[in-house]
């Protein structure tokens, strides 16, 4: 089905559908009317020689410089040239497609003043698979993602580079091959294409979607470890969490109960301690806090996806234009910094459970380092080292970027969000999280192999163990583990374990 863009109902799932899965899009007729109405007002003001920032003035420190009629059109071209100032490796295609979708949705609100053909060209580029080459680095997240968005805007002039049918080529060639007319840039068109935090917001939407899947797998990993460690399951009683009131903790406890349901541990047939260590007993509170942080971040990202992030902003009904700072990325950067820290936090707890599985003094009778030949063999001893290295990298990356502003533009832009740094490092944090969780789940599966003759497991845990064993064999005698680690990381990233488990026990949300 084609996604109709209205300006008001974009979600992170819709961003993923378009950015990652190439869903087609179209503008709602009402959005077309709003864009045309706003443009008509702008053209009236241009004819009346009304001073408007970024239309007939310079930008930033040059905002007091008034342009002549002859300069107004060329200014948009040089604006894009000057701001296409990124550096280095290309951003993944899904980030760029997500940013284009976000910009279309901004325009659909009818407050940006661009010509309709600019928005329609972005729609055609999405639908026909023309994706601009955009350097990943260069944005400070205010005035929006100017550097990467300008590389998108270059295509509006038939310049820059773009991917088309799997090949990188000159932008003009890509547009011609796809049959997309090049609209050129007139007054306001360039700034209306670039002046929002659309790249970092699209990246944040995609990350939230992926992180939710990872968090549910963190609950699967926890349940597997809890079964293997003969945990006391009373701390997972929903009533305990309901009386405190945090929604995420209730959700997490219910998910883990689903996973262990039907097993001997849950049914009280396995002897357990009166009280377990925090890494076992506190799992709902910790993963639950991450769920709550994600919910807040989602609310902020979806506000931004559907809001008017631009400057200036035009109000056709009042014949009014206001210049402000709705391009500022801080409302997204702040909650997303928190999300990165939460991924790290849950990863730390995952490693602590993995430590208990290995540790002969803590693993409730399992073999040391989960090997039958301790001494001759080291089992999963070194797996913990690999997890620990990744956690240290996560901790380094978890320093908030939103407090790192460096003034620019002769101090006209003296506080910026650095939200692009947040977006980039969050994907690095999540990449490590896939590996760390993969190692816990691999260790838990190894431990469950030692327990399977002793008692039966919950249906969800059993299905997770079966899925792991399709990719990683039981470690009978020592072997090089790098393939196992890498395969487990890929398995977690694919979310196949989650898919298989949810088919068995239902949704974990």
């Amino acid at each position: 089905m084609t996604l109709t863009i209205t300006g008001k109902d974009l979600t992170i799932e819709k961003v993923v559908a378009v950015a990652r899965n190439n869903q087609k899009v179209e503008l709602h007729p009402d959005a077309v009317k709003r864009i045309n109405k706003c443009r008509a007002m702008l053209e009236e003001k241009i004819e009346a020689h009304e001073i408007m920032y970024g239309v007939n003035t310079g930008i930033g420190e040059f905002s007091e410089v008034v342009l002549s009629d002859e300069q107004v059109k060329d200014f948009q071209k040089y604006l894009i040239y000057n701001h296409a100032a990124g550096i280095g490796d290309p951003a993944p295609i899904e980030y760029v497609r997500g940013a284009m979708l976000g910009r279309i949705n901004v325009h659909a609100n009818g407050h940006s003043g661009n010509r309709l053909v600019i928005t329609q060209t972005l729609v055609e580029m999405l639908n026909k698979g023309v994706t601009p080459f955009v350097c990943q680095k260069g944005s400070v997240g205010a005035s929006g993602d100017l550097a990467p968005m300008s590389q998108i805007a270059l295509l509006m002039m038939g310049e820059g580079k773009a991917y088309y049918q799997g090949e990188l080529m000159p932008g003009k060639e890509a547009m011609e091959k796809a049959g997309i007319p090049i609209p050129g840039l007139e007054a306001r068109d360039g700034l209306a294409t670039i002046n929002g935090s659309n790249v970092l917001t699209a990246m944040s939407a995609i990350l939230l979607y992926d992180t939710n899947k990872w968090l549910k797998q963190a609950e699967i990993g926890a349940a597997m470890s809890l079964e293997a460690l003969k945990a006391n399951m009373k701390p997972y009683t929903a009533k305990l969490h309901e009386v405190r009131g945090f929604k995420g903790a209730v959700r997490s406890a219910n998910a883990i109960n689903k996973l262990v349901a039907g097993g001997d541990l849950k049914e009280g047939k396995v002897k357990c301690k009166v009280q377990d260590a925090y890494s076992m007993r506190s799992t709902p509170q910790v993963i639950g806090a991450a769920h709550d942080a994600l919910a807040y971040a989602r609310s902020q990202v979806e506000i931004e996806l559907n809001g008017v992030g631009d400057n200036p902003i035009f109000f056709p009904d009042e014949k009014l234009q206001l210049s402000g700072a709705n391009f500022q990325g801080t409302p997204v950067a702040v909650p997303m910094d928190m999300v990165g820290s939460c991924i790290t936090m849950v990863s730390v707890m995952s490693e602590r459970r993995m430590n208990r599985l290995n540790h002969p003094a803590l693993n409730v009778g399992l073999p040391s380092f989960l090997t039958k030949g301790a001494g001759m063999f080291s089992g999963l001893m070194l797996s913990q080292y690999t997890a620990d290295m990744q956690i240290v990298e996560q901790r380094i990356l978890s320093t908030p970027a939103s407090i790192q502003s460096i003034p620019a533009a002769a101090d006209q832009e003296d506080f910026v969000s650095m939200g692009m740094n947040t977006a980039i490092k969050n994907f690095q944090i999540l990449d490590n999280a896939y590996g760390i969780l993969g190692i816990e789940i691999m260790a838990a599966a190894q431990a469950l192999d030692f327990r399977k003759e002793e008692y039966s497991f919950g249906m969800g845990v059993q299905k997770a163990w079966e899925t792991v064993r399709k990719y990683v064999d039981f470690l009978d005698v020592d072997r090089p583990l790098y393939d196992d680690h890498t395969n487990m990381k890929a398995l977690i990233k694919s979310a196949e374990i989650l898919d298989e488990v949810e088919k068995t026990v239902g949704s974990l949300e």
Side-chain angles (χ1 to χ4, degrees), residues 261-313:
D264 288 345
L265 186 71
K266 176 64 177 173
E267 294 181 3
K269 298 177 182 178
V270 178
K271 186 178 179 181
C272 60
K273 291 183 179 180
V274 173
Q275 190 161 268
D276 291 317
Y278 286 178
S279 61
M280 298 164 65
R281 181 164 32 118
S282 301
T283 297
Q285 289 87 349
V286 175
I287 296 182
H291 281 312
D292 289 337
L294 256 69
Y296 171 61
R298 178 188 180 116
S299 72
Q300 298 301 98
V301 167
E302 289 186 344
I303 287 171
E304 179 67 10
L305 285 171
N306 293 290
V308 183
D310 213 331
N311 186 48
I313 292 172

Side-chain angles (χ1 to χ4, degrees), residues 395-407:
R395 286 172 169 168
I396 293 167
L397 292 167
S398 291
T399 300
S402 52
I403 60 172
Q404 305 292 343
S405 175
I406 297 177

